Amino acid sequence: MDKRYDAVIVGTGAAGLYAALNFPESVSVLLISKRELPLSNSSLAQGGVACVLDTVHDNYKLHINDTLVAGKYKNTLSAVEKLVKEGPADVLRTKDLGVDYDLNPDGTMCKTLEAGHSRHRIVHHKDSTGKAIVDALIEQVKKLPNVDILDNALLYSMHKTLGGFYLSVLKDGKSLYFGCNYCLLATGGIGRVYQYTTNSAIATGDGIAFAYMLGAKIRNLSRVQFHPTAFAAEANRERFLISEAVRGEGAVLLNCNGERFAHNYDKRGELAPRDVVSNAIAREALRTNSEKFYLDITHKPADFIKSRFPMIYAKCLEEGIDITKEWIPVYPCQHYLMGGIDVNLHSETSIDGLYAAGECAHTGVHGANRLASNSLLEALVYSRTAAEDITRKLQKYGRKPLGLEPAHRPITGKKMPSGFRSQIRAILQDAYFVLPKPEKYDESYKKVEEIIKQLFSECYEISSDLVEAKSIAVVASIILDEVREGQS
């Protein structure tokens, strides 16, 4: 073992970083980042953070109700109440930690409206709120004397012992081994299980796969959210998001004939929850026999658009689209995961000492569909909760002996054949997209299981390709098994 810690955090998005900031200096922490620190789904979050800061025009009950409506009342009410009531304090703390939220002339935080919300309650930094939060938290974490940071480090094995965990990490071509009493998985989403996603390259469901292989309960993994307005760039697997806030500021959806259509499917039109709008686009595509759809905000002043959405304006301009004058080509793609590693209100999984927070966790907050801008709030609230619970247990029980260190398999082996990940992505994209194809579930599940058998039976060289192929295979298998059994 190279070093022992009280707690290891795997993942450096908003959840992982904020958790690190909520441990006292007496707790030793290792923070593991698969790639460079700023690369995470959190950094790509555009819209903002939903929270009740204006109690004159808004209240907790309204935010809770909006969350339940979007989630089709399949949410865990106690988890939603915790999110909404505790969230504002965490958001204000991130402001104190240096997050540069947009402010009104009187110094209060600007609040915008997004689909599914009944009040203006989304605080933001332009159209790159996630990046503003992550960048500020990284700077603060780097100052912590009790936190070691290991970036560009691949977790490839986890072992549970009576007293904690042993973790095997690949760094610069060499294996490193760490022990800890407690482990927090904050590894983000599963976007790379699909052909097209708004997620970053690292979103391969690693934490979910490791938790599953340890025996943790995984819940509602088939509750995948498809965002209705990703930029329709066919050449790129990773598609950049056209934020919910663009529709919140008045943009309208148009079909291939330049006609508005969203109100034909739901009275809330463009401001219906994401799954409703995505479904409307998919059904309109069948009606018109075309996948050409557009978002139009050209009726707004050009200066407003450039000021409110500078990143989206610049990204679209790179693709040859001036959104102040032209329609934005959009189409639904994989965006978020409502299910994940099942946790309680303390963010602990079904395995003693193993915690999860952020997108990889199933808190029950989102129900069947996530309400816009609740994700960053969830990452903050439940990662802080995990850090607090781990700290309480360390204070109560002390540092437990870890037990015998497991034997380590060599990282060498034969090279894994290419193509596994592409096969899995094609299977999921075809069988389980916005309008699912139940008739393909059984066949798709069998194909993925065959891939899993090959990946886990052969002694391949340890690499990011192998770890990520195993992860997306396990995730795809769980999703397809759930929908086959009608569990979600």
Side-chain angles (χ1 to χ4, degrees):
M1 183 168 60
D2 289 274
K3 193 169 181 180
R4 174 185 168 154
Y5 293 87
D6 295 325
V8 171
I9 301 170
V10 186
T12 54
L17 294 167
Y18 195 60
L21 287 161
N22 277 279
F23 282 106
E25 288 187 12
S26 58
V27 177
S28 62
V29 178
L30 174 63
L31 189 59
I32 299 175
S33 179
K34 185 161 70 167
R35 297 272 287 276
E36 57 271 21
L37 287 180
L39 181 61
S40 64
N41 278 359
S42 297
S43 288
L44 298 177
Q46 295 176 5
V49 191
C51 63
V52 177
L53 295 176
D54 178 3
T55 55
V56 175
H57 303 97
D58 197 3
N59 59 60
Y60 295 153
K61 185 177 180 180
L62 287 172
H63 190 181
I64 290 168
N65 188 63
D66 290 345
T67 302
L68 296 175
V69 170
K72 303 183 186 302
Y73 295 96
K74 293 185 178 181
N75 323 62
T76 302
L77 181 58
S78 56
V80 177
E81 290 174 339
K82 176 182 175 69
L83 175 88
V84 171
K85 294 176 181 179
E86 296 183 15
D90 287 304
V91 173
L92 292 173
R93 187 181 175 208
T94 62
K95 183 174 182 288
D96 292 338
L97 289 168
V99 179
D100 183 23
Y101 291 104
D102 294 340
L103 303 178
N104 296 307
D106 63 359
T108 59
M109 296 161 76
C110 294
K111 303 170 191 69
T112 191
L113 180 70
E114 291 186 355
H117 289 272
S118 59
R119 295 290 187 274
H120 287 67
R121 66 168 69 99
I122 319 299
V123 297
H124 52 82
H125 171 86
K126 305 296 182 184
D127 57 350
S128 54
T129 308
K131 185 177 186 304
I133 290 173
V134 168
D135 288 351
L137 297 186
I138 286 173
E139 290 307 306
Q140 295 296 330
V141 169
K142 286 179 177 178
K143 301 174 184 177
L144 299 175
N146 60 312
V147 177
D148 291 339
I149 300 172
L150 197 65
D151 62 358
N152 291 292
L154 177 73
L155 175 66
Y156 68 87
S157 179
M158 284 185 69
H159 292 274
K160 179 75 175 79
T161 70
L162 288 176
F165 303 87
Y166 286 106
L167 295 86
S168 302
V169 176
L170 187 65
K171 169 75 172 171
D172 298 329
K174 297 180 180 179
S175 287
L176 299 174
Y177 305 108
F178 302 100
C180 60
N181 286 130
Y182 300 93
C183 182
L184 169 61
L185 296 172
T187 52
I190 62 165
R192 292 299 166 139
V193 179
Y194 280 84
Q195 282 185 328
Y196 302 106
T197 179
T198 62
N199 290 189
S200 66
I202 60 172
T204 52
D206 299 348
I208 294 168
F210 281 122
Y212 177 77
M213 288 185 283
L214 286 175
K217 182 179 180 182
I218 310 298
R219 190 172 177 188
N220 294 330
L221 207 63
S222 54
R223 290 182 180 173
V224 179
Q225 184 177 79
F226 304 100
H227 199 288
T229 56
F231 189 92
E234 295 181 7
N236 299 321
R237 177 172 291 135
E238 184 178 321
R239 294 180 168 183
F240 73 87
L241 183 68
I242 308 300
S243 170
E244 201 94 33
V246 178
R247 280 176 285 136
E249 295 289 359
V252 296
L253 276 168
L254 306 174
N255 64 15
C256 60
N257 301 315
E259 304 162 335
R260 289 185 70 178
F261 62 91
H263 283 89
N264 297 332
Y265 297 93
D266 189 281
K267 65 181 180 180
R268 293 165 291 185
E270 286 87 356
L271 292 180
R274 291 172 178 177
D275 64 325
V276 176
V277 180
S278 290
N279 190 274
I281 292 173
R283 289 163 66 189
E284 185 74 1
L286 291 175
R287 189 188 73 81
T288 60
N289 195 31
S290 172
E291 293 187 353
K292 300 293 183 183
F293 291 87
Y294 306 92
L295 201 58
D296 178 18
I297 196 170
T298 58
H299 56 282
K300 288 286 188 177
D303 288 345
F304 168 80
I305 294 171
K306 293 176 184 179
S307 172
R308 178 66 180 86
F309 304 111
M311 190 270 288
I312 293 174
Y313 174 77
K315 291 282 285 184
C316 287
L317 208 56
E318 289 175 11
E319 297 286 341
I321 302 293
D322 182 345
I323 67 174
T324 67
K325 303 174 183 177
E326 300 172 275
W327 300 346
I328 310 167
V330 295
Y331 199 71
C333 77
Q334 194 284 334
H335 180 58
Y336 192 79
L337 175 67
M338 278 75 70
I341 309 164
D342 200 36
V343 297
N344 60 23
L345 290 178
H346 301 296
S347 300
E348 189 171 21
T349 72
S350 58
I351 293 178
D352 183 45
L354 182 66
Y355 292 73
E359 192 173 350
C360 73
H362 173 269
T363 61
V365 158
H366 306 300
N369 177 56
R370 174 172 71 96
L371 178 65
S373 290
N374 267 354
S375 53
L376 286 172
L377 188 69
E378 181 194 35
L380 297 174
V381 170
Y382 283 92
S383 64
R384 168 185 52 77
T385 297
E388 290 173 347
D389 199 59
I390 291 170
T391 300
R392 279 195 297 268
K393 288 184 177 179
L394 283 167
Q395 292 170 345
K396 184 175 181 179
Y397 303 113
R399 294 168 174 82
K400 300 177 183 178
L402 293 180
L404 291 175
E405 188 172 350
H408 302 293
R409 63 151 284 191
I411 62 174
T412 56
K414 62 182 181 180
K415 191 171 179 62
M416 181 188 74
S418 61
F420 288 128
R421 287 182 291 179
S422 296
Q423 291 178 55
I424 296 165
R425 288 169 181 144
I427 289 169
L428 262 290
Q429 190 74 33
D430 180 46
Y432 194 64
F433 189 46
V434 176
L435 299 179
K437 300 173 183 174
E439 69 276 9
K440 293 193 174 184
Y441 290 167
D442 285 338
E443 178 190 0
S444 299
Y445 177 74
K446 289 176 183 176
K447 288 179 179 178
V448 172
E449 285 297 294
E450 289 171 4
I451 293 172
I452 287 177
K453 183 177 179 181
Q454 186 168 349
L455 285 171
F456 283 86
S457 63
E458 298 286 349
C459 190
Y460 293 124
E461 175 189 14
I462 299 295
S463 66
S464 59
D465 285 344
L466 176 64
V467 171
E468 293 181 347
K470 285 182 174 181
S471 294
I472 68 170
V474 169
V475 166
S477 173
I478 298 171
I479 290 173
L480 290 168
D481 193 38
E482 277 189 7
V483 295
R484 285 167 70 236
E485 300 296 330
Q487 294 176 13
S488 185

